[in-house]
Every structure is written in structure tokens, then in C-alpha cells.
């Protein structure tokens, strides 16, 4: 498992796919934020949204109708002919613009971190060969069994509770 280049290959390919998806999401959100949002949302409200969709938007944004109550409203306990609630146009546009702005900012700020992970994975994959993980670790990282025995309650001649930790002489 330690020296499996196939797993690293699939991992690196998956990272490239994720990079493309993150960049595409950021780009699409940025471009939609610059398009004619007012016209797109008006078309969506009048022709694409169902009555249930309009009712949900009105309930969440606390508004009634698109421009005013008379413009494609959905009746509810708060949306009736003599309501004082404003139309949803302004709130709906602000909500959409803010959501798109947050989306592209988050997507584009994730790209440097993702590139770092991608480059790190590529560099680490160069060190995987048939000898990886098979040699002994350097001497400095090897366990010293005398130190382990000295620290155990049964095999220790030292009482760590009474004497405390002391420097060993090797």
C-alpha cells in the first residue's frame, strides 16, 4: 500500500478533475454576476418558477409579488391584497448577486490551496519506487529499548513519580 503508484496516479487525476470543477464553478459564477441579472431574474420569476417556487421565495425574503403585490404574487398568510410587504425584485436581485459573489470569491480563493496540494502530490509521487518504505529508518528515529524499559513501572529501576525525568547518558 505504501508504494502503490496506481493509487497515486488516480489521486492526481482526481485532483486535476477537482481543479477544473472548482475553476469552472468560479468562472460561471463570476460571469453570471456580470450579466443582465435584472432581466434574467424577471424572466425566471414570470416564466420558469412554479407557484411553489415563488411562494418559497416570498416566504424567505419576506416580500410579495415581483415588482409589487399585483405582479405574479402567490397568496399566503402574509401576502394578501392590502399587504404592506414590498415586491421581491430588489431583495431577490441582492440575494442572487451576493450569493454569486460569495461563490466566485470562495472558488477562486480555493484554487491556490488546491494547486499547492496538487503540486505536493506530484512531487511526492516521484519518490515512490520499489524501495520506498522498505529500508530501516535513520538511526536517530530508531527506538531505544533501554529507554522504554526505564520508563515502565515494572521494569524500571527509576521511580519517575519520585525522581522525575532525568537526562540519560548514552
Amino acid at each position: 500500500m505504501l508504494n502503490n503508484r496506481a493509487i497515486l496516479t488516480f489521486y492526481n487525476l482526481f485532483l486535476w478533475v477537482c481543479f477544473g470543477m472548482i475553476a469552472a464553478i468560479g468562472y460561471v459564477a463570476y460571469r453570471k454576476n456580470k450579466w443582465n441579472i435584472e432581466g434574467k431574474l424577471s424572466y425566471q420569476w414570470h416564466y420558469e418558477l412554479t407557484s411553489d417556487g415563488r411562494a418559497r421565495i416570498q416566504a424567505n425574503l419576506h416580500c410579495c409579488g415581483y415588482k409589487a403585490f399585483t405582479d405574479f404574487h402567490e397568496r399566503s398568510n402574509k401576502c394578501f391584497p392590502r399587504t404592506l410587504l414590498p415586491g421581491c425584485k430588489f431583495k431577490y436581485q441582492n440575494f442572487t448577486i451576493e450569493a454569486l459573489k460569495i461563490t466566485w470569491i470562495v472558488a477562486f480563493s480555493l484554487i491556490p490551496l488546491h494547486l499547492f496540494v496538487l503540486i505536493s502530490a506530484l512531487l511526492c509521487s516521484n519518490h515512490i519506487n520499489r524501495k520506498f518504505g522498505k529500508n530501516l529508518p535513520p538511526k536517530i528515529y530508531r527506538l531505544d529499548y533501554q529507554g522504554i524499559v526505564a520508563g515502565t513501572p515494572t521494569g524500571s529501576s527509576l521511580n519517575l513519580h519520585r525522581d522525575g525525568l532525568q537526562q540519560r547518558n548514552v
Side-chain angles (χ1 to χ4, degrees), residues 17-27 103 106-111 114:
V17 170
C18 286
F19 175 75
M21 292 174 79
I22 291 170
I25 288 170
Y27 177 74
T103 301
V106 167
F108 286 149
S109 59
L110 281 176
I111 285 181
H114 194 78

Side-chain angles (χ1 to χ4, degrees), residues 11 39 64 69 108 125 140:
Y11 178 70
C64 190
F69 168 76
F108 286 149
S125 68
I140 192 170

Side-chain angles (χ1 to χ4, degrees), residues 3 7 63 66 72 80 84 94-95 102 116 123 138 151 159:
N3 58 348
I7 291 175
C63 55
Y66 187 65
F72 278 84
F80 49 89
L84 296 175
N94 283 347
F95 173 76
I102 289 170
F116 174 74
L123 290 175
N159 187 344

Side-chain angles (χ1 to χ4, degrees), residues 41-59 65-66 71-75 88 92:
L41 292 180
S42 176
Y43 181 82
Q44 180 186 34
W45 185 274
H46 291 101
Y47 300 108
E48 293 178 356
L49 284 176
T50 62
S51 60
D52 185 46
R54 284 193 292 269
R56 287 181 188 204
I57 291 172
Q58 287 177 173
Y66 187 65
D71 189 17
F72 278 84
H73 68 280
E74 294 303 321
R75 289 188 182 240
C88 294
Y92 193 33

Side-chain angles (χ1 to χ4, degrees), residues 2-4 10 40 47-48 50 66 71-73 83 86 88 97-98 101 113 116 118 125 147-148 150 165 168-169:
L2 285 177
N3 58 348
N4 196 339
F10 285 117
K40 302 266 185 205
Y47 300 108
E48 293 178 356
T50 62
Y66 187 65
D71 189 17
F72 278 84
H73 68 280
T83 187
C88 294
I97 289 170
E98 210 46 46
K101 182 179 176 184
L113 175 68
F116 174 74
L118 206 148
S125 68
I148 292 175
L165 292 175
R168 281 192 335 197
N169 295 331

